[in-house]
Structures are given as structure tokens and as C-alpha cells.
Amino acid sequence: MWRINLWEGTELVVAEFHKKIKDAFEVFDHEANNTVDVREIRTIIRSLGCCPSEGELHDLIVEIEEEEPTGYIRFEKFLPVMTKVLLEKRYRPIPEDILLRSFEVLDPSKRGFLTKEELIKYMTEEGEPFSQEEMEEMLSAAIDPESNSIRYKDYIAMMVVDDG
Amino acid sequence: RFIHKWGHSLLARISTHFTAFKAAALIQRWYRRYMARLETRRCCTWRIFQSIEYAGQQDHVKLHDFFSYLVDHFTPNSNHESEYEARKDSEMEKGSDYESIEVPDNYTGPRLSFPLLPNHATALVEAFRLKQQLHARYVLNLLHETRKHLVQLPNINRVSTCYSEEITVCGDLHGQLDDLIFIFHKNGLPSPERAYVFNGDFVDRGKESVEILMILFAFMLVYPKEFRLNRGNHEDHMVNLRYGLTKEVMHKYKTHGKKILKILQDVFCWLHLATLVDEKVLILHGGVSDMPDLELLAKLDRHKVLTTEVVSCEREGRAGSCPGAGSAPWAPPPGLPRGHRASRSSSIPCSCGPPWGPGAGRCRQQAGPPRAGRRGAPCPPRQKQVVDILWSDPMAQEGCKANTVRGGGCYFGPSVTEQLLQKYNLQFLIRSHERKPEGYEFCHRRKVLTIFSASNYYEVGSNRGAYVKLGPALTPYIVQYQANKETHRLTMRQRISRVEESALRSLWEKLFASSLDLLGEFKKHDADKTGLITLSAWAEAVESVLHLGLPWRMLKPQLVNSSTDNTLEYKSWLEDLAKEQLSRENIQSSLLETLYRNRPNLEAIFRITDSDHSGFISLDEFRQTWKLFSSHMNIDITDDCICDLARSIDLNRDGHIDINEFLEAFRIVEQSSTEGDTSDCPQATNTDNSGCSKPSKR
């Protein structure tokens, strides 16, 4: 259980969070019955500005699911958990420079790019590996077909602009 | 999933791996969030299109009374319907419609001769692919033959996999010829071994509805046993008035379009209502109600259901449940539906009061003299069955309730499906009617399959199309596609951006059309007159004006260019909106907004008013129509204003207005609608300071 600090400022913030969460939830509530498919909950959480790892997401979902998982998440259970996440500013997005540095770690000789094979290897074998679909989707946008490589600095710049 | 726990201990040991692992994990985390945001945008975009479309449909339903009145008022034949019917019949049968039409020698399009042969049908496909147009004479001839053929067929069509080994079922095409050609290309042309069922909504919205109809009818005549067509809710002349087929026909066939539309109206009524495969799989366009009665369906006079637009009878009644057809005085015969149908002259026993006297309800199921009058007349079972079949949608919840979004038919739950399948010993149901991002969707524990064949329906990249194949085992095998090579080359990101742009444009238009109302709402939230409102207030205000049910907070980044996160200078936001949309300053913005808002309705109304489809209406008719319309819609524009406008458009002072010119003057006609351009219109007008400028060739 968690308690709301009854300080007036926080109340307003919480109310605003509630509306935000409700809107995000509704986008995926296809049958308008206050439930969403559990597979969509990851997307919803991320759309609210959070950037959790797969592991962190898994733990969060355990909190939100029913005792007997139905494959659906109910809004009533989602709301308090998500509000807390937002209030605590958990899972902050990754700053651009950290992202750049991560790419540089994978490119120790500082060429400024990663080959397609290297990218595939890292993304599908390290960290929390990509599925084949995820890998293909990333390749389609990231790889420069002429050099068959990803110039990660440009890639980041492009993606960040797009993200709005 | 549990890697992060395992990883931590491993990482502690392997130091060189540590950084690469962590770096990869960071990148993946970031990337997944990016994709999630893309996905959210895609869903929002979809919602925008849907809500605008449904809002438009509801609008139409609301205006139905008005339309009915207009149709009665302006249709010349509203007085002696039985004579009219008889005359129409003999005209049809005599075929005098087309035989007198000469085909010029320099006509290079396809030529048809009857009885049709397979190569004629194939030649049609090829000709349309090359953008040729079929001459009106052949169109009419084909439609006559089609009608003759359909009249002998039952309401419920039966197909068996014994004869054709595989049956392909396609969903809505909506005038998108590319998709039809793609399906034939990928799946093969129809043949005795390759049966097809097209499940309604062949027309409207897309630009090649006529061509699709010609191809479908041709194949149906060539392979009558293997090629079947079910009626959809868009195979309906009232719906066509508003959603594009009427316009397309009149544009492509200026001289004979009227005749074509008349016979088409009849042909639509004679289409099958449902198809049954191996007595096990039922295919129909929309869905079912909780009182499915296939026996009744098999026996009713389907051709008497001219339009399923009349739904107000049901709406007036109990909102919470489907008005049952249970009050029928006859008992349905036992056993499965038989193929016969009642002869035309027999009357179906009707349980609801005096149906056809003066002042009776507006059920236009017979061509009887309809009167805009008494509300709440109960709907005859025949009408209701057909409406349910063509308009219903499945829902996840149990039960059955009125489909208020569409204004007709039901929402039916899993138990309704179960009931239907058990009652008639069926395996599953195939239907269409709803667009799905993947082109298909199973629901009700895979007992209901929705199949939708118009890819890129809202915009390039918006959705896939699909068709389903059934073999003797009746296991559905789905094939998806997107009939636009361009989309394959785009990344998901680019695809979503394009569709999103299109959706946002539509949304901006709607916002602009309600500028005055929005301003009023904003002011209510700004008691201190600071000129600023919070984001929250903005979202509330916009929803209360537009009633679109959209997640405005999620859409805010695309709609509002506010530097501060939480407040908005609403006046300048509205001004920015206006700058984008207003095309000329000398017309009152309120009038423009009103016209914009009512654009689709106005067009439909004008087309009804122009009863002889000449493309012109007289000033007087225009004034009358406008008066009716504005009083009905509580629009507060003075008559004088409209009259001035009308006069300024009638530049040659002959007392007539060219509809297209008028609509175009306000950029109301869709920009991309006509291939042909305004130079086709006989009355060319010049730009002067009349208040409307002639648009340049598109």
C-alpha cells in the first residue's frame, strides 16, 4: 500500500498523472471495457515516458496482473501502480550522451560505425536480446545499405529528432 | 526475462564482457521505448480515423429524417409508386435501356457480347488495369444480364467444396481496384476449380467502384456456380449518395449515369444476403442478432429491401436490447433453411400495426409512399433481419445490444455466436464490415473471422488487406498483403509518419470547423481572462466540443506547438489553425466553418436535390434546400447571406448552380476525388470579384 502525501501541490500532480495514465490506457483499450491485453501494457508504460528494461517491466507486470493471470490487465490495478512509478520518476529515459557512449563501447577502435554483423551480434546475443522481428526492424532503419554499416552518431541524431 | 538477474552475477565475474553487455542492454532499452512510442502513435492515428469516420456516420444517421424528406420531396415518382414500379419493371425487362446506345467506332475500350465468356471477363480485368473505361452500353447490358441472373437465385447461397476444391473469401474492397487485381494476381483468376465469395462493400470511398462491379458481375455471369457475391451495407443507393459511388458513376458516365444508377439500385437489392459453405461455414457481411432466423432470411423478399438506411424505427425503441423479431405470427419451419424464396407478389405476414397507411413509419422497404411522419413505428421483421446482417459488429462482452455507433444492427457477444452455430450446426462465421490493421481478426474463441480486403484503407501504410481460403477441411488459411509496393520500402517509422500526417490533417480540419465553439469553451476555462489555459483544460474543452472520444493528452504534442509544457495561449493556437485552413478572406469565417463542418452532408443533400443528376440545381431549389437544412440543423446563418453567395456563383445568370463549382468554391469537394477536372463541366466560370475564385486545374 502506498499513501498519497496530502500536500495540495502533490494532489494536483497526482490528478494530472491519473488523467495522463487514463488517456494512455484508453488508446489500447480496444473494446472500451477498461482492460488491455497484457502484451500491450509494456507499450503503454513506455508511452508514458518511462524507459524500463525488460526485466524491470517483468517485475512491474507481476504487480499489476491478477493473482490468476487472465491475459488482461485491469485499469483499476494499473492506475495506482503506474501513478507511483510516475511520482517516483522511475525508469527515466536514457540521455543522448549515455546512448552515444554505449555505442562507442561496442566500437572500441573508434571507427565511428558498427558493421551490420557486429550490430546483429551485439543486439541478439548481449544484454536483453532482440527478437528476430525487432532486429529486422532496427536494421531496416539503421543500416546504410551502401556501406552495410550503422553510423551510430547520425543514427542517434535521426531517431532523437523523430521522437519529438 | 530473468537475464538481468543471471547477468548481474555473471557480469561481476567477466569484466571485459561487462561493458559490452551493459552497453547493449542500454541500447536495447532505449530502442524498445522508441518502438513503443511509434506503436502508440500508430494506435492513436487509427483511433483518429475511426472516430472521425464513425462521427460522420452518426451524423448521417441523424440526418436521415431530413434526407428522407428531401428524397420524397424531390423525387418525381413519389406519388404513384405501384405504377412506377410496374413501369420500371417493364423498362428493365425490355432492355430498351441500352440497345439503342451507339458505340462509336473510335472506342478502344473492351467490348462485351453475351453470353459472356471467360476471356471477356479476363479482358475486362486487363482493360481496367490499363485504366480504360467500359462504354455505357456494355455497362448497362452487363447490369441487365446480372439482374436477370440474380433474380433467380436464393437469398442464401450455397457453395460446396466438392466441386471447387478451394474457396477464397474476400472482404470489403471499397472501390480499391488495385487490391482486387492484386488478389487475382496472387491467388489466381476465378475458375471452376477456384471459387470466390466476395463479402460485400465492393463500392464507395475508393475511386474505382464501377470497375470493380463490372469485374465482379462479369465473373459471376461466367462462373455462376463458383463466383458469388454477398450484399454489404454499401450496396445501397442511399449510402452511395453520400459515400462516393453516385458521384463516381455520374462523373464517369455523364450521359447515361442516371440509367446506370437506377438499374444498379435494383441489382444491389437482388444480391445474396449470405453464403453457406458445405452447410458449415456461414459468410455474411456484418453479423447477426440474438434472434437469428435463417429460415426467415431464406424466405423473405430480399429485393424489397431497397435500403437499410432506415434504422430510426429500431433506435426509437429499447436502447438496451435488440428489438426481437419474436412477434412474428408464423412459426419458422423446422430444419435448415431451404433455397427457395417467396414469389414477388406474396406478402410476408407482418406483425406490426398498419404499416403502409398515410402517416406510417418511415420504413422504406417497399416503394410505397413514405412520409416523414410518425416516429417509433415498429420495424417489420424482414427489414430488421437484413439490417442486422449488414450492419452488426461482434463485441467481446456477452449479450447483444443495439449498435449505436453505426446506428443500425447490433453488437453481438460470444454467446450469440455460439447460439447461432449450435442452432444451425455450423462451425464458424466469416464476416467483414470492419477494418482491421492486419486485414483479418479472429474473435469469439475463433468462431468469428473478420476479413477485410481493402489495404491501405485510410492512407498508404495504414493497414494490410487479407483474404481467406477454405479447403474441404474448412480450415481457414489467411493471406495478407498490402497492394502498394511503396509501403514495402518504407520503414515502419516512415509508414507511421505518413499515415499519421493524414490523420492529423483530418483532425485539424475538424478542429478548425469548430473554432468558434472551441473559443467559447476555452474562455470558460479562463475565468481570469489571462489568455492562457492548462493542458488539462484544453483536453477537456476539445473533447466537449468535438465528442470524438480521443485521447487528447496523447495527441497534444502533434496538435499544439506550445513551448511550455502546461499552458497554452489558446487564441493564437486557434489563429494558427485558421491560417492553415482559410483560403479566402472575403467570406465570413463562420459560414466557411459551418460549411466545412457539414461538408459531406451538404454534398449528399445537393445530390439528392439534383434529382435528374444533371449536375445543376436551380437557385430556388438551392435556397429551399438550404433553408430546410439550416433549420433542421439549427444553423444560424441568414438566408440573405446564402442567397448572395448563390447568386455570386451563378455567373452566367441563368438561375442555375453547378454543384461541383459551388462545392469546389469552398474546397469542399475532396482534393483528390476526380481524375477528370473542372474543364469537363460545361459551364466554365471565370475568376472575378464575385467572392469565389475558380479553382485551377488539379
Side-chain angles (χ1 to χ4, degrees), chain A residues 66-91:
Chain A
E66 310 289 324
E67 274 87 44
E68 304 251 338
T70 58
Y72 286 99
I73 303 286
R74 283 184 304 119
F75 182 67
E76 300 82 51
K77 271 208 128 180
F78 181 63
L79 182 63
V81 176
M82 197 64 219
T83 310
K84 194 162 171 229
V85 166
L86 291 182
L87 277 173
E88 294 173 3
K89 300 196 204 290
R90 265 192 259 166
Y91 319 130

Side-chain angles (χ1 to χ4, degrees), chain B residues 69-248:
Chain B
Y69 181 92
L70 272 190
V71 172
D72 299 344
H73 193 70
F74 285 103
T75 315
N77 299 306
S78 52
N79 290 323
H80 299 282
E81 285 306 334
S82 48
E83 278 179 34
Y84 172 63
E85 268 278 88
R87 235 188 310 133
K88 193 171 84 160
D89 280 342
S90 58
E91 256 180 50
M92 299 291 181
E93 251 103 70
K94 253 190 273 166
S96 55
D97 265 327
Y98 62 89
E99 270 162 21
S100 53
I101 301 178
E102 291 274 328
V103 180
D105 289 327
N106 59 359
Y107 167 71
T108 53
R111 291 170 188 264
L112 302 177
S113 60
F114 293 84
L116 274 185
L117 295 171
N119 59 322
H120 286 132
T122 322
L124 266 187
V125 180
E126 191 50 31
F128 291 148
R129 198 178 65 83
L130 298 171
K131 306 291 179 211
Q132 290 175 357
Q133 182 166 309
L134 186 65
H135 194 274
R137 184 211 165 96
Y138 299 121
V139 174
L140 286 166
N141 202 349
L142 179 56
L143 290 176
H144 274 285
E145 294 296 317
T146 303
R147 184 182 177 277
K148 264 177 18 197
H149 170 77
L150 286 175
V151 162
Q152 317 153 42
L153 297 181
N155 295 354
I156 299 183
N157 189 9
R158 284 172 153 73
V159 187
S160 169
T161 50
C162 298
Y163 303 119
S164 355
E165 278 148 26
E166 64 174 35
I167 297 175
T168 304
V169 183
C170 302
D172 296 25
L173 283 171
H174 281 302
Q176 296 186 188
L177 183 61
D178 284 341
D179 285 303
L180 180 58
I181 292 184
F182 185 88
I183 294 173
F184 283 163
H185 175 77
K186 181 151 173 132
N187 195 47
L189 286 169
S191 71
E193 295 78 38
R194 192 175 295 116
Y196 273 93
V197 177
F198 281 84
N199 201 11
D201 277 11
F202 323 122
V203 300
D204 282 336
R205 294 209 177 96
K207 318 252 183 326
E208 288 160 307
S209 303
V210 173
E211 284 70 32
I212 288 190
L213 285 178
M214 295 296 104
I215 293 176
L216 294 181
F217 293 154
F219 276 113
M220 185 176 64
L221 291 175
V222 168
Y223 298 116
K225 288 217 198 55
E226 297 84 11
F227 197 88
R228 314 291 185 139
L229 306 175
N230 285 346
R231 188 176 184 184
N233 59 306
H234 276 263
E235 276 68 59
D236 182 326
H237 71 288
M238 287 291 279
V239 178
N240 298 148
L241 271 169
R242 185 179 150 91
Y243 286 101
L245 177 63
T246 309
K247 180 158 82 171
E248 186 189 321

Side-chain angles (χ1 to χ4, degrees), chain B residues 379-394:
Chain B
C379 235
R382 164 173 71 206
Q383 184 77 6
K384 185 199 177 302
Q385 282 280 329
V386 178
V387 170
D388 284 339
I389 287 186
L390 299 186
W391 287 84
S392 301
D393 292 311

